[in-house]
Amino acid sequence: MTTTPMRRSLGVLDNVVIAASSTAATTSIGIGLGLTAGVVGLHLPIIMALAVIPVACIAGAYAHLNRVEPNAGNTYVWVGRSLNPWLGFLCGWVMAVSMVLFLAYTTTVTGSSILALAGQAGLRSIGGVELTAESTLQSTLVGLLLLVAAVITAIVGVDLAAKVQSVLLIFEYVVLLGFCGYGLFVGDQPFSMDWVDPFDIPSGAAFAQGMVLAVFCYWGFDSAYSMTEECHDSRTSGRAGAYTLILMLGLFLLASFAFQRVLPLDEMADHGAEGLVYFGNALATSPLTLLPMIALTFSAVASLQSGVLPTVRGMFAMSRDRTLGPVWARVHPRYGTPAAGTLVLGALAMVVCVVALAIPKVPDLINATVNAIGIIVALYYAATALAAAVRFRGLLRVGVRAAVVPVILPMLGAILLLGLAGALSWDYWSGVDHYEVAADNGWFVLSVPLAMVLSGIAVAAWAKWVRRSPYFLRPARETLVTEDIEEPALPEPIPSLSGATE
């Protein structure tokens, strides 16, 4: 392994493919819509539309920060320099740990999808053992094989990963558009204006949880900014992030209306973990019913692969600052990728998969993971937005128009996300009746984000006082104005990568 710079080969389309795969619209639709409907009722369209508002504000923050300081570490670097290095490190840490949890949960979801597909094809037992898609053990064992394949593909290179994911995405979206478009017109559930009335959502707690779940569905668009140092210039990442967000909004709105036109609320809520498959069965007969199942499997496989890519690159940035060990900064001499870190990340995800076997049913695992990660995502998105507002606050002297996207909207997005995360956390805490370790227990859900933060503080302390990382000593960046934003974004060569730590 060497520490030579990673190669630049990604264009806008490649980056959109990776970000879209990381967002995993098909998986979010296939699983997330049913879970969200169980919380907000028949208000999926409006909750998905409202959730994009704070996310779009965050996207503006990412784009502007990325233009003035392109860096694979993105949030970790920007928050550390604009707000506080301890907070910046915690953002980078919880992002990495969240993705490890996501990879573990997606591994199980992928295995579950494959087992369900095998069952539909007539393969219901092997060696006398009955195959069931709801078994966490069986789903994990099958999913681990695909996780290994995803890690190997990520090591070989992002250009190969983008090509593989392009094929998967095309199939997914053709199936998704076909079934949702058809369901929108043939569904027998009457359209109601209540579907787009946010004031008709059952309660404030339901609104907060629904928004956090919806924000989780959009999670992944920021993967585009983790690939900046393998793009031709930083504006490639900015455009890819924006295009991905627009694409996701369109798909989520189409699917929300289509699901509610075809399925009654109780059926959506009761079949949340297999929502897309159940939706397909309501619209078609075999063999066409296999298509949504195959699309869901492809989406899970693609999100496994795309989840590895940005996470390892974020940890690459942390390693070259000596906040993490040198293994994360080693670049393969042939493939030009952080191969050693990719292997370590895959191994960590496998360990979490084994630990997650304590939750016996896949739907319970999905519910616990999505809610816990949703809170963390809202918090580190909010921190990124605050970093942008602080970094570009000098634009307020130029005028309101110049400050809207880089300062005012990020502040709005941060306030919204912090409020939602706080309200949901309080609702979970106040709903705890006993300290039972169960997936649906509020204490259990809150303990996951708390463990992430506490472990991050410990690792940060080690990096500061034992590794003596320069990250904790670097001065904050100066306030930026319009001229700074318009400067060329990505010099040649990339200084930060050239100085990677051995």
Side-chain angles (χ1 to χ4, degrees):
M1 298 291 178
T2 68
T3 56
T4 54
M6 291 187 285
R7 298 169 188 165
R8 294 182 194 161
S9 59
L10 296 181
V12 174
L13 182 58
D14 292 328
N15 218 352
V16 168
V17 168
I18 291 173
S21 297
S22 185
T23 308
T26 306
T27 303
S28 295
I29 289 169
I31 297 173
L33 291 189
L35 293 177
T36 308
V39 175
V40 301
L42 294 176
H43 301 286
L44 288 177
I46 189 60
I47 209 72
M48 298 308 296
L50 289 175
V52 84
I53 295 175
V55 177
C57 294
I58 305 306
Y62 269 92
H64 278 76
L65 287 166
N66 191 66
R67 288 186 64 183
V68 298
E69 190 172 10
N71 195 297
N74 52 69
T75 291
Y76 153 79
V77 173
W78 301 330
V79 173
R81 293 186 178 183
S82 298
L83 297 179
N84 179 274
W86 284 82
L87 181 59
F89 180 87
L90 282 177
C91 286
W93 178 260
V94 299
M95 287 169 63
V97 176
S98 294
M99 188 53 72
V100 170
L101 293 179
F102 174 77
L103 288 173
Y105 128 82
T106 305
T107 295
T108 304
V109 169
T110 305
S112 179
S113 299
I114 292 175
L115 289 175
L117 187 59
Q120 288 290 323
L123 181 61
R124 294 182 173 85
S125 65
I126 295 179
V129 177
E130 183 181 357
L131 300 178
T132 171
E134 289 194 354
S135 168
T136 303
L137 175 60
Q138 294 182 15
S139 299
T140 299
L141 292 176
V142 174
L144 283 174
L145 298 176
L146 288 171
L147 177 60
V148 170
V151 168
I152 293 173
T153 306
I155 290 174
V156 172
V158 293
D159 49 350
L160 175 61
K163 291 175 183 177
V164 171
Q165 290 174 9
S166 295
V167 175
L168 299 180
L169 276 180
I170 290 172
F171 179 84
E172 288 174 44
Y173 289 175
V174 167
V175 172
L176 201 59
L177 292 173
F179 272 78
C180 289
Y182 180 65
L184 196 62
F185 289 101
V186 304
D188 57 5
Q189 302 297 312
F191 173 81
S192 171
M193 288 300 296
D194 289 342
W195 295 2
V196 291
D197 182 5
F199 300 103
D200 198 43
I201 293 176
S203 66
F207 176 80
Q209 185 175 3
M211 285 287 285
V212 170
L213 288 172
V215 168
F216 175 83
C217 289
Y218 287 104
W219 180 43
F221 83 93
D222 50 306
S223 296
Y225 302 97
S226 297
M227 313 304 295
T228 292
E229 295 178 43
E230 287 162 281
C231 293
H232 300 297
D233 62 64
S234 67
R235 286 164 290 189
T236 298
S237 298
R239 288 193 292 268
Y243 294 158
T244 301
L245 201 54
I246 294 170
L247 176 63
M248 294 304 107
L249 173 61
L251 290 173
F252 290 150
L253 288 179
L254 172 64
S256 297
F257 280 111
F259 269 52
Q260 294 191 177
R261 284 278 289 143
V262 174
L263 302 175
L265 175 60
D266 58 343
E267 293 185 23
M268 278 195 295
D270 292 343
H271 297 86
E274 64 272 4
L276 182 60
V277 175
Y278 190 81
F279 175 76
N281 288 334
L283 286 175
T285 58
S286 183
L288 290 178
T289 52
L290 292 177
L291 293 178
M293 198 173 295
I294 296 172
L296 184 61
T297 303
F298 280 7
S299 177
V301 171
S303 61
L304 267 182
Q305 187 184 71
S306 58
V308 172
L309 294 172
T311 307
V312 174
R313 280 143 185 83
M315 300 180 87
F316 179 100
M318 298 174 78
S319 178
R320 65 192 177 195
D321 286 336
R322 297 207 308 272
T323 57
L324 291 180
V327 65
W328 301 99
R330 292 174 184 164
V331 178
H332 196 284
R334 177 180 176 184
Y335 300 121
T337 59
T342 304
L343 288 173
V344 174
L345 183 71
L348 290 173
M350 292 177 187
V351 171
V352 176
C353 282
V354 174
V355 174
L357 293 176
I359 302 178
K361 292 185 178 180
V362 175
D364 292 340
L365 174 64
I366 291 172
N367 186 59
T369 307
V370 167
N371 281 287
I373 295 179
I375 294 173
I376 286 294
V377 169
L379 292 176
Y380 82 69
Y381 274 176
T384 308
L386 290 174
V390 171
R391 189 79 173 270
F392 299 110
R393 64 187 184 277
L395 292 175
L396 290 169
R397 297 194 299 269
V398 178
V400 173
R401 183 176 179 181
V404 167
V405 177
V407 181
I408 298 174
L409 290 182
M411 279 296 297
L412 174 62
I415 292 170
L416 289 174
L417 289 179
L418 289 173
L420 291 171
L424 181 57
S425 298
W426 174 255
D427 184 59
Y428 274 130
W429 180 256
S430 61
V432 172
D433 295 322
H434 53 281
Y435 294 100
E436 176 187 357
V437 180
D440 59 351
N441 187 276
W443 170 82
F444 182 73
V445 173
L446 287 179
S447 68
V448 176
L450 181 61
M452 290 185 193
V453 172
L454 292 178
S455 62
I457 293 173
V459 176
W462 180 271
K464 178 178 174 62
W465 286 301
V466 178
R467 293 186 185 278
R468 297 188 182 279
S469 168
Y471 173 82
F472 292 93
L473 302 176
R474 62 174 54 146
R477 291 284 184 175
E478 69 277 8
T479 301
L480 298 178
V481 294
T482 308
E483 289 75 11
D484 296 303
I485 299 175
E486 294 175 351
E487 288 178 357
L490 194 60
E492 290 281 358
I494 308 175
S496 52
L497 281 179
S498 301
T501 304
E502 181 62 68

